[in-house]
Amino acid sequence: MNDRVQKNNVLPTRMVLLTMKLRLKSAKKGYNLLKKKAEALLFKFRSLLKAIIKSKSVLCTELQEAFISMAQATFQAGDFSHLILENSTTPTIKVRITTDIVAGVKLPVFQRRLTGTDAYQYTGLGKGGKQISVCKAKFIKATELLLELASLKTSFQALNEAIKATRRRVNALEYIIVPRLEKTVEYVISELEEKDREEFFRLKRVQDKKKIRRDAPTDFTWEAPSVQENTTDLML
């Protein structure tokens, strides 16, 4: 054990020893649980990192295809952005936030929810309707990938902060709290043993003195005065 670890300032009593042992047991149990939690979070962290890399690659490809499709639709149907803006009174896609719990850590998850309105319903009636529908499908898919990537990155940051906090707690338990409690328990045990030795030595001295007094010879004898002498003294 490190000699620099300081003990807690406590009175060396048996009640304090029992309390310190219980605290030490709880600290070791908490250390094991936090270590397992850190391992679980780290496993999830690595899986999220792989998913983010894969999602970015797929999103880049999908966005390229979506903008190419938009250029083709614009070439065939002309500029149809003003038609979409005129019909866009309510959002077509809304985002709902749910929560996923991993080892006690809440991770936000973004989900796409369609509202039922379609700003493209009157677009492309004259020409280019098919290409506009393809462009719409491409951008909806890209939106889904964007929400997935946003969920992954948000969860990634939340897990990163949770892992840092858990590691700080694990290090505090491993290098400060547990050694300090162990040092305190050792101190209380040594003090109680010292008190027991002193009490044993004191009792031994008391017994030795009693034995010496019991075995010592007694030369002095005391005789009680007779009744006649007491009566004579009273008559005089």
Side-chain angles (χ1 to χ4, degrees), residues 102-135:
V102 177
V105 179
K106 294 182 179 181
L107 304 178
V109 178
F110 303 141
Q111 295 180 349
R112 179 179 65 90
R113 184 170 65 89
L114 295 176
T115 59
T117 59
D118 188 2
Y120 291 83
Q121 57 184 347
Y122 300 115
T123 307
L125 293 177
K127 56 181 179 178
K130 181 179 179 180
Q131 194 62 38
I132 291 175
S133 298
V134 173
C135 178

PDB file of all heavy atoms in Angstrom, residues 102-135:
ATOM      1  N   VAL A 102     -28.368   2.872 -21.891  1.00  0.00           N
ATOM      2  CA  VAL A 102     -27.257   1.925 -21.938  1.00  0.00           C
ATOM      3  C   VAL A 102     -26.461   2.062 -20.643  1.00  0.00           C
ATOM      4  O   VAL A 102     -25.849   3.109 -20.390  1.00  0.00           O
ATOM      5  CB  VAL A 102     -26.340   2.181 -23.151  1.00  0.00           C
ATOM      6  CG1 VAL A 102     -25.147   1.224 -23.144  1.00  0.00           C
ATOM      7  CG2 VAL A 102     -27.121   2.037 -24.445  1.00  0.00           C
ATOM      8  N   ALA A 103     -26.490   1.044 -19.803  1.00  0.00           N
ATOM      9  CA  ALA A 103     -25.756   1.023 -18.527  1.00  0.00           C
ATOM     10  C   ALA A 103     -26.079   2.246 -17.673  1.00  0.00           C
ATOM     11  O   ALA A 103     -25.193   2.860 -17.075  1.00  0.00           O
ATOM     12  CB  ALA A 103     -24.250   0.937 -18.781  1.00  0.00           C
ATOM     13  N   GLY A 104     -27.360   2.623 -17.660  1.00  0.00           N
ATOM     14  CA  GLY A 104     -27.788   3.749 -16.848  1.00  0.00           C
ATOM     15  C   GLY A 104     -27.593   5.105 -17.485  1.00  0.00           C
ATOM     16  O   GLY A 104     -27.902   6.126 -16.863  1.00  0.00           O
ATOM     17  N   VAL A 105     -27.095   5.166 -18.709  1.00  0.00           N
ATOM     18  CA  VAL A 105     -26.857   6.432 -19.412  1.00  0.00           C
ATOM     19  C   VAL A 105     -27.953   6.615 -20.456  1.00  0.00           C
ATOM     20  O   VAL A 105     -28.181   5.725 -21.290  1.00  0.00           O
ATOM     21  CB  VAL A 105     -25.472   6.455 -20.069  1.00  0.00           C
ATOM     22  CG1 VAL A 105     -25.252   7.770 -20.805  1.00  0.00           C
ATOM     23  CG2 VAL A 105     -24.391   6.245 -19.032  1.00  0.00           C
ATOM     24  N   LYS A 106     -28.622   7.762 -20.439  1.00  0.00           N
ATOM     25  CA  LYS A 106     -29.687   8.041 -21.395  1.00  0.00           C
ATOM     26  C   LYS A 106     -29.096   8.603 -22.685  1.00  0.00           C
ATOM     27  O   LYS A 106     -28.383   9.600 -22.666  1.00  0.00           O
ATOM     28  CB  LYS A 106     -30.685   9.036 -20.798  1.00  0.00           C
ATOM     29  CG  LYS A 106     -31.458   8.494 -19.610  1.00  0.00           C
ATOM     30  CD  LYS A 106     -32.456   9.507 -19.093  1.00  0.00           C
ATOM     31  CE  LYS A 106     -33.246   8.940 -17.920  1.00  0.00           C
ATOM     32  NZ  LYS A 106     -34.247   9.905 -17.406  1.00  0.00           N
ATOM     33  N   LEU A 107     -29.428   7.942 -23.796  1.00  0.00           N
ATOM     34  CA  LEU A 107     -28.934   8.358 -25.111  1.00  0.00           C
ATOM     35  C   LEU A 107     -30.119   8.801 -25.961  1.00  0.00           C
ATOM     36  O   LEU A 107     -31.086   8.046 -26.126  1.00  0.00           O
ATOM     37  CB  LEU A 107     -28.198   7.199 -25.796  1.00  0.00           C
ATOM     38  CG  LEU A 107     -27.032   6.586 -25.023  1.00  0.00           C
ATOM     39  CD1 LEU A 107     -26.439   5.429 -25.807  1.00  0.00           C
ATOM     40  CD2 LEU A 107     -25.966   7.631 -24.726  1.00  0.00           C
ATOM     41  N   PRO A 108     -30.073  10.019 -26.527  1.00  0.00           N
ATOM     42  CA  PRO A 108     -31.186  10.491 -27.365  1.00  0.00           C
ATOM     43  C   PRO A 108     -31.187   9.800 -28.728  1.00  0.00           C
ATOM     44  O   PRO A 108     -30.140   9.551 -29.319  1.00  0.00           O
ATOM     45  CB  PRO A 108     -30.902  11.991 -27.504  1.00  0.00           C
ATOM     46  CG  PRO A 108     -29.427  12.119 -27.310  1.00  0.00           C
ATOM     47  CD  PRO A 108     -29.026  11.041 -26.351  1.00  0.00           C
ATOM     48  N   VAL A 109     -32.390   9.481 -29.186  1.00  0.00           N
ATOM     49  CA  VAL A 109     -32.556   8.854 -30.496  1.00  0.00           C
ATOM     50  C   VAL A 109     -33.571   9.672 -31.282  1.00  0.00           C
ATOM     51  O   VAL A 109     -34.682   9.917 -30.812  1.00  0.00           O
ATOM     52  CB  VAL A 109     -33.038   7.392 -30.357  1.00  0.00           C
ATOM     53  CG1 VAL A 109     -33.248   6.771 -31.731  1.00  0.00           C
ATOM     54  CG2 VAL A 109     -32.047   6.567 -29.550  1.00  0.00           C
ATOM     55  N   PHE A 110     -33.198  10.116 -32.488  1.00  0.00           N
ATOM     56  CA  PHE A 110     -34.069  10.910 -33.348  1.00  0.00           C
ATOM     57  C   PHE A 110     -34.788   9.992 -34.335  1.00  0.00           C
ATOM     58  O   PHE A 110     -34.151   9.184 -35.021  1.00  0.00           O
ATOM     59  CB  PHE A 110     -33.269  11.961 -34.109  1.00  0.00           C
ATOM     60  CG  PHE A 110     -32.496  12.892 -33.209  1.00  0.00           C
ATOM     61  CD1 PHE A 110     -31.220  13.322 -33.554  1.00  0.00           C
ATOM     62  CD2 PHE A 110     -33.032  13.321 -32.014  1.00  0.00           C
ATOM     63  CE1 PHE A 110     -30.514  14.171 -32.731  1.00  0.00           C
ATOM     64  CE2 PHE A 110     -32.333  14.171 -31.179  1.00  0.00           C
ATOM     65  CZ  PHE A 110     -31.072  14.598 -31.532  1.00  0.00           C
ATOM     66  N   GLN A 111     -36.096  10.149 -34.415  1.00  0.00           N
ATOM     67  CA  GLN A 111     -36.899   9.332 -35.326  1.00  0.00           C
ATOM     68  C   GLN A 111     -37.719  10.234 -36.239  1.00  0.00           C
ATOM     69  O   GLN A 111     -38.245  11.257 -35.812  1.00  0.00           O
ATOM     70  CB  GLN A 111     -37.836   8.397 -34.533  1.00  0.00           C
ATOM     71  CG  GLN A 111     -37.103   7.348 -33.707  1.00  0.00           C
ATOM     72  CD  GLN A 111     -38.065   6.453 -32.943  1.00  0.00           C
ATOM     73  OE1 GLN A 111     -39.256   6.732 -32.869  1.00  0.00           O
ATOM     74  NE2 GLN A 111     -37.541   5.389 -32.375  1.00  0.00           N
ATOM     75  N   ARG A 112     -37.809   9.815 -37.504  1.00  0.00           N
ATOM     76  CA  ARG A 112     -38.567  10.581 -38.494  1.00  0.00           C
ATOM     77  C   ARG A 112     -40.041  10.234 -38.386  1.00  0.00           C
ATOM     78  O   ARG A 112     -40.419   9.078 -38.215  1.00  0.00           O
ATOM     79  CB  ARG A 112     -38.049  10.270 -39.897  1.00  0.00           C
ATOM     80  CG  ARG A 112     -38.780  10.997 -41.010  1.00  0.00           C
ATOM     81  CD  ARG A 112     -38.164  10.614 -42.343  1.00  0.00           C
ATOM     82  NE  ARG A 112     -38.365   9.209 -42.638  1.00  0.00           N
ATOM     83  CZ  ARG A 112     -39.410   8.714 -43.306  1.00  0.00           C
ATOM     84  NH1 ARG A 112     -40.358   9.534 -43.734  1.00  0.00           N
ATOM     85  NH2 ARG A 112     -39.501   7.438 -43.554  1.00  0.00           N
ATOM     86  N   ARG A 113     -40.864  11.279 -38.491  1.00  0.00           N
ATOM     87  CA  ARG A 113     -42.325  11.074 -38.464  1.00  0.00           C
ATOM     88  C   ARG A 113     -42.960  11.922 -39.555  1.00  0.00           C
ATOM     89  O   ARG A 113     -42.794  13.146 -39.587  1.00  0.00           O
ATOM     90  CB  ARG A 113     -42.880  11.459 -37.093  1.00  0.00           C
ATOM     91  CG  ARG A 113     -44.376  11.189 -36.945  1.00  0.00           C
ATOM     92  CD  ARG A 113     -44.794  11.363 -35.487  1.00  0.00           C
ATOM     93  NE  ARG A 113     -44.637  12.740 -35.056  1.00  0.00           N
ATOM     94  CZ  ARG A 113     -45.578  13.686 -35.170  1.00  0.00           C
ATOM     95  NH1 ARG A 113     -46.743  13.385 -35.743  1.00  0.00           N
ATOM     96  NH2 ARG A 113     -45.361  14.904 -34.743  1.00  0.00           N
ATOM     97  N   LEU A 114     -43.672  11.268 -40.477  1.00  0.00           N
ATOM     98  CA  LEU A 114     -44.339  11.968 -41.566  1.00  0.00           C
ATOM     99  C   LEU A 114     -45.654  12.577 -41.072  1.00  0.00           C
ATOM    100  O   LEU A 114     -46.403  11.932 -40.332  1.00  0.00           O
ATOM    101  CB  LEU A 114     -44.605  11.004 -42.727  1.00  0.00           C
ATOM    102  CG  LEU A 114     -43.374  10.425 -43.429  1.00  0.00           C
ATOM    103  CD1 LEU A 114     -43.796   9.411 -44.480  1.00  0.00           C
ATOM    104  CD2 LEU A 114     -42.550  11.535 -44.057  1.00  0.00           C
ATOM    105  N   THR A 115     -45.926  13.808 -41.475  1.00  0.00           N
ATOM    106  CA  THR A 115     -47.145  14.501 -41.036  1.00  0.00           C
ATOM    107  C   THR A 115     -48.333  14.259 -41.957  1.00  0.00           C
ATOM    108  O   THR A 115     -49.468  14.602 -41.621  1.00  0.00           O
ATOM    109  CB  THR A 115     -46.890  16.009 -40.952  1.00  0.00           C
ATOM    110  OG1 THR A 115     -46.486  16.488 -42.245  1.00  0.00           O
ATOM    111  CG2 THR A 115     -45.790  16.306 -39.938  1.00  0.00           C
ATOM    112  N   GLY A 116     -48.101  13.715 -43.143  1.00  0.00           N
ATOM    113  CA  GLY A 116     -49.204  13.457 -44.074  1.00  0.00           C
ATOM    114  C   GLY A 116     -49.320  14.496 -45.175  1.00  0.00           C
ATOM    115  O   GLY A 116     -49.974  14.258 -46.193  1.00  0.00           O
ATOM    116  N   THR A 117     -48.718  15.657 -44.994  1.00  0.00           N
ATOM    117  CA  THR A 117     -48.767  16.699 -46.024  1.00  0.00           C
ATOM    118  C   THR A 117     -47.660  16.464 -47.049  1.00  0.00           C
ATOM    119  O   THR A 117     -46.600  15.947 -46.717  1.00  0.00           O
ATOM    120  CB  THR A 117     -48.603  18.089 -45.386  1.00  0.00           C
ATOM    121  OG1 THR A 117     -47.350  18.138 -44.692  1.00  0.00           O
ATOM    122  CG2 THR A 117     -49.724  18.370 -44.405  1.00  0.00           C
ATOM    123  N   ASP A 118     -47.913  16.839 -48.277  1.00  0.00           N
ATOM    124  CA  ASP A 118     -46.955  16.622 -49.358  1.00  0.00           C
ATOM    125  C   ASP A 118     -46.881  17.896 -50.200  1.00  0.00           C
ATOM    126  O   ASP A 118     -47.838  18.272 -50.879  1.00  0.00           O
ATOM    127  CB  ASP A 118     -47.380  15.438 -50.230  1.00  0.00           C
ATOM    128  CG  ASP A 118     -46.314  15.057 -51.243  1.00  0.00           C
ATOM    129  OD1 ASP A 118     -45.244  15.694 -51.232  1.00  0.00           O
ATOM    130  OD2 ASP A 118     -46.558  14.129 -52.029  1.00  0.00           O
ATOM    131  N   ALA A 119     -45.731  18.563 -50.117  1.00  0.00           N
ATOM    132  CA  ALA A 119     -45.553  19.803 -50.889  1.00  0.00           C
ATOM    133  C   ALA A 119     -45.279  19.521 -52.358  1.00  0.00           C
ATOM    134  O   ALA A 119     -45.257  20.442 -53.168  1.00  0.00           O
ATOM    135  CB  ALA A 119     -44.403  20.623 -50.284  1.00  0.00           C
ATOM    136  N   TYR A 120     -45.071  18.247 -52.731  1.00  0.00           N
ATOM    137  CA  TYR A 120     -44.751  17.894 -54.109  1.00  0.00           C
ATOM    138  C   TYR A 120     -45.977  17.412 -54.883  1.00  0.00           C
ATOM    139  O   TYR A 120     -45.847  16.978 -56.030  1.00  0.00           O
ATOM    140  CB  TYR A 120     -43.697  16.762 -54.133  1.00  0.00           C
ATOM    141  CG  TYR A 120     -42.335  17.165 -53.657  1.00  0.00           C
ATOM    142  CD1 TYR A 120     -42.029  17.188 -52.306  1.00  0.00           C
ATOM    143  CD2 TYR A 120     -41.341  17.494 -54.565  1.00  0.00           C
ATOM    144  CE1 TYR A 120     -40.769  17.528 -51.861  1.00  0.00           C
ATOM    145  CE2 TYR A 120     -40.063  17.841 -54.133  1.00  0.00           C
ATOM    146  CZ  TYR A 120     -39.794  17.857 -52.776  1.00  0.00           C
ATOM    147  OH  TYR A 120     -38.547  18.204 -52.354  1.00  0.00           O
ATOM    148  N   GLN A 121     -47.172  17.457 -54.262  1.00  0.00           N
ATOM    149  CA  GLN A 121     -48.305  16.794 -54.903  1.00  0.00           C
ATOM    150  C   GLN A 121     -48.734  17.467 -56.210  1.00  0.00           C
ATOM    151  O   GLN A 121     -49.258  16.805 -57.107  1.00  0.00           O
ATOM    152  CB  GLN A 121     -49.484  16.744 -53.923  1.00  0.00           C
ATOM    153  CG  GLN A 121     -49.923  18.108 -53.400  1.00  0.00           C
ATOM    154  CD  GLN A 121     -51.022  17.998 -52.363  1.00  0.00           C
ATOM    155  OE1 GLN A 121     -51.618  16.925 -52.219  1.00  0.00           O
ATOM    156  NE2 GLN A 121     -51.319  19.085 -51.685  1.00  0.00           N
ATOM    157  N   TYR A 122     -48.552  18.767 -56.334  1.00  0.00           N
ATOM    158  CA  TYR A 122     -48.931  19.449 -57.576  1.00  0.00           C
ATOM    159  C   TYR A 122     -47.724  19.831 -58.421  1.00  0.00           C
ATOM    160  O   TYR A 122     -47.856  20.581 -59.385  1.00  0.00           O
ATOM    161  CB  TYR A 122     -49.742  20.709 -57.263  1.00  0.00           C
ATOM    162  CG  TYR A 122     -51.014  20.416 -56.499  1.00  0.00           C
ATOM    163  CD1 TYR A 122     -51.181  20.896 -55.208  1.00  0.00           C
ATOM    164  CD2 TYR A 122     -52.026  19.660 -57.068  1.00  0.00           C
ATOM    165  CE1 TYR A 122     -52.341  20.628 -54.497  1.00  0.00           C
ATOM    166  CE2 TYR A 122     -53.188  19.379 -56.368  1.00  0.00           C
ATOM    167  CZ  TYR A 122     -53.333  19.867 -55.079  1.00  0.00           C
ATOM    168  OH  TYR A 122     -54.471  19.587 -54.382  1.00  0.00           O
ATOM    169  N   THR A 123     -46.575  19.336 -58.029  1.00  0.00           N
ATOM    170  CA  THR A 123     -45.356  19.680 -58.759  1.00  0.00           C
ATOM    171  C   THR A 123     -45.106  18.645 -59.853  1.00  0.00           C
ATOM    172  O   THR A 123     -45.207  17.440 -59.606  1.00  0.00           O
ATOM    173  CB  THR A 123     -44.150  19.733 -57.791  1.00  0.00           C
ATOM    174  OG1 THR A 123     -44.458  20.601 -56.714  1.00  0.00           O
ATOM    175  CG2 THR A 123     -42.919  20.230 -58.503  1.00  0.00           C
ATOM    176  N   GLY A 124     -44.761  19.134 -61.033  1.00  0.00           N
ATOM    177  CA  GLY A 124     -44.442  18.229 -62.138  1.00  0.00           C
ATOM    178  C   GLY A 124     -45.637  17.722 -62.902  1.00  0.00           C
ATOM    179  O   GLY A 124     -45.535  16.704 -63.597  1.00  0.00           O
ATOM    180  N   LEU A 125     -46.780  18.400 -62.789  1.00  0.00           N
ATOM    181  CA  LEU A 125     -47.947  17.959 -63.558  1.00  0.00           C
ATOM    182  C   LEU A 125     -47.740  18.197 -65.051  1.00  0.00           C
ATOM    183  O   LEU A 125     -48.240  17.429 -65.883  1.00  0.00           O
ATOM    184  CB  LEU A 125     -49.204  18.684 -63.072  1.00  0.00           C
ATOM    185  CG  LEU A 125     -49.664  18.340 -61.635  1.00  0.00           C
ATOM    186  CD1 LEU A 125     -50.877  19.193 -61.279  1.00  0.00           C
ATOM    187  CD2 LEU A 125     -49.983  16.860 -61.522  1.00  0.00           C
ATOM    188  N   GLY A 126     -47.028  19.247 -65.372  1.00  0.00           N
ATOM    189  CA  GLY A 126     -46.810  19.558 -66.790  1.00  0.00           C
ATOM    190  C   GLY A 126     -45.746  18.663 -67.395  1.00  0.00           C
ATOM    191  O   GLY A 126     -45.956  17.989 -68.395  1.00  0.00           O
ATOM    192  N   LYS A 127     -44.591  18.622 -66.780  1.00  0.00           N
ATOM    193  CA  LYS A 127     -43.494  17.813 -67.278  1.00  0.00           C
ATOM    194  C   LYS A 127     -42.520  17.520 -66.134  1.00  0.00           C
ATOM    195  O   LYS A 127     -42.458  18.250 -65.148  1.00  0.00           O
ATOM    196  CB  LYS A 127     -42.756  18.545 -68.411  1.00  0.00           C
ATOM    197  CG  LYS A 127     -42.235  19.919 -68.022  1.00  0.00           C
ATOM    198  CD  LYS A 127     -41.544  20.586 -69.198  1.00  0.00           C
ATOM    199  CE  LYS A 127     -41.050  21.984 -68.802  1.00  0.00           C
ATOM    200  NZ  LYS A 127     -40.326  22.638 -69.903  1.00  0.00           N
ATOM    201  N   GLY A 128     -41.783  16.460 -66.322  1.00  0.00           N
ATOM    202  CA  GLY A 128     -40.766  16.096 -65.334  1.00  0.00           C
ATOM    203  C   GLY A 128     -41.317  15.531 -64.047  1.00  0.00           C
ATOM    204  O   GLY A 128     -40.610  15.540 -63.023  1.00  0.00           O
ATOM    205  N   GLY A 129     -42.567  15.060 -64.067  1.00  0.00           N
ATOM    206  CA  GLY A 129     -43.153  14.547 -62.829  1.00  0.00           C
ATOM    207  C   GLY A 129     -42.439  13.320 -62.287  1.00  0.00           C
ATOM    208  O   GLY A 129     -42.235  13.175 -61.072  1.00  0.00           O
ATOM    209  N   LYS A 130     -42.049  12.419 -63.175  1.00  0.00           N
ATOM    210  CA  LYS A 130     -41.373  11.202 -62.727  1.00  0.00           C
ATOM    211  C   LYS A 130     -40.025  11.510 -62.098  1.00  0.00           C
ATOM    212  O   LYS A 130     -39.674  10.966 -61.046  1.00  0.00           O
ATOM    213  CB  LYS A 130     -41.201  10.251 -63.919  1.00  0.00           C
ATOM    214  CG  LYS A 130     -40.523   8.945 -63.547  1.00  0.00           C
ATOM    215  CD  LYS A 130     -40.400   8.045 -64.761  1.00  0.00           C
ATOM    216  CE  LYS A 130     -39.705   6.745 -64.389  1.00  0.00           C
ATOM    217  NZ  LYS A 130     -39.559   5.832 -65.553  1.00  0.00           N
ATOM    218  N   GLN A 131     -39.279  12.418 -62.732  1.00  0.00           N
ATOM    219  CA  GLN A 131     -37.959  12.753 -62.202  1.00  0.00           C
ATOM    220  C   GLN A 131     -38.072  13.489 -60.872  1.00  0.00           C
ATOM    221  O   GLN A 131     -37.250  13.314 -59.978  1.00  0.00           O
ATOM    222  CB  GLN A 131     -37.203  13.610 -63.230  1.00  0.00           C
ATOM    223  CG  GLN A 131     -35.722  13.740 -62.930  1.00  0.00           C
ATOM    224  CD  GLN A 131     -35.008  12.402 -62.947  1.00  0.00           C
ATOM    225  OE1 GLN A 131     -35.311  11.534 -63.778  1.00  0.00           O
ATOM    226  NE2 GLN A 131     -34.086  12.211 -62.010  1.00  0.00           N
ATOM    227  N   ILE A 132     -39.131  14.302 -60.714  1.00  0.00           N
ATOM    228  CA  ILE A 132     -39.334  15.000 -59.431  1.00  0.00           C
ATOM    229  C   ILE A 132     -39.676  13.995 -58.330  1.00  0.00           C
ATOM    230  O   ILE A 132     -39.223  14.121 -57.193  1.00  0.00           O
ATOM    231  CB  ILE A 132     -40.433  16.072 -59.585  1.00  0.00           C
ATOM    232  CG1 ILE A 132     -39.945  17.211 -60.485  1.00  0.00           C
ATOM    233  CG2 ILE A 132     -40.847  16.611 -58.216  1.00  0.00           C
ATOM    234  CD1 ILE A 132     -41.001  18.256 -60.781  1.00  0.00           C
ATOM    235  N   SER A 133     -40.451  12.978 -58.647  1.00  0.00           N
ATOM    236  CA  SER A 133     -40.773  11.941 -57.658  1.00  0.00           C
ATOM    237  C   SER A 133     -39.516  11.181 -57.233  1.00  0.00           C
ATOM    238  O   SER A 133     -39.329  10.864 -56.050  1.00  0.00           O
ATOM    239  CB  SER A 133     -41.798  10.964 -58.233  1.00  0.00           C
ATOM    240  OG  SER A 133     -43.005  11.624 -58.546  1.00  0.00           O
ATOM    241  N   VAL A 134     -38.631  10.909 -58.204  1.00  0.00           N
ATOM    242  CA  VAL A 134     -37.364  10.250 -57.870  1.00  0.00           C
ATOM    243  C   VAL A 134     -36.516  11.142 -56.977  1.00  0.00           C
ATOM    244  O   VAL A 134     -35.907  10.691 -55.991  1.00  0.00           O
ATOM    245  CB  VAL A 134     -36.611   9.878 -59.161  1.00  0.00           C
ATOM    246  CG1 VAL A 134     -35.219   9.359 -58.823  1.00  0.00           C
ATOM    247  CG2 VAL A 134     -37.385   8.839 -59.959  1.00  0.00           C
ATOM    248  N   CYS A 135     -36.494  12.433 -57.308  1.00  0.00           N
ATOM    249  CA  CYS A 135     -35.735  13.398 -56.492  1.00  0.00           C
ATOM    250  C   CYS A 135     -36.298  13.452 -55.077  1.00  0.00           C
ATOM    251  O   CYS A 135     -35.553  13.505 -54.091  1.00  0.00           O
ATOM    252  CB  CYS A 135     -35.793  14.770 -57.151  1.00  0.00           C
ATOM    253  SG  CYS A 135     -34.956  16.075 -56.223  1.00  0.00           S
TER     254      CYS A 135
END
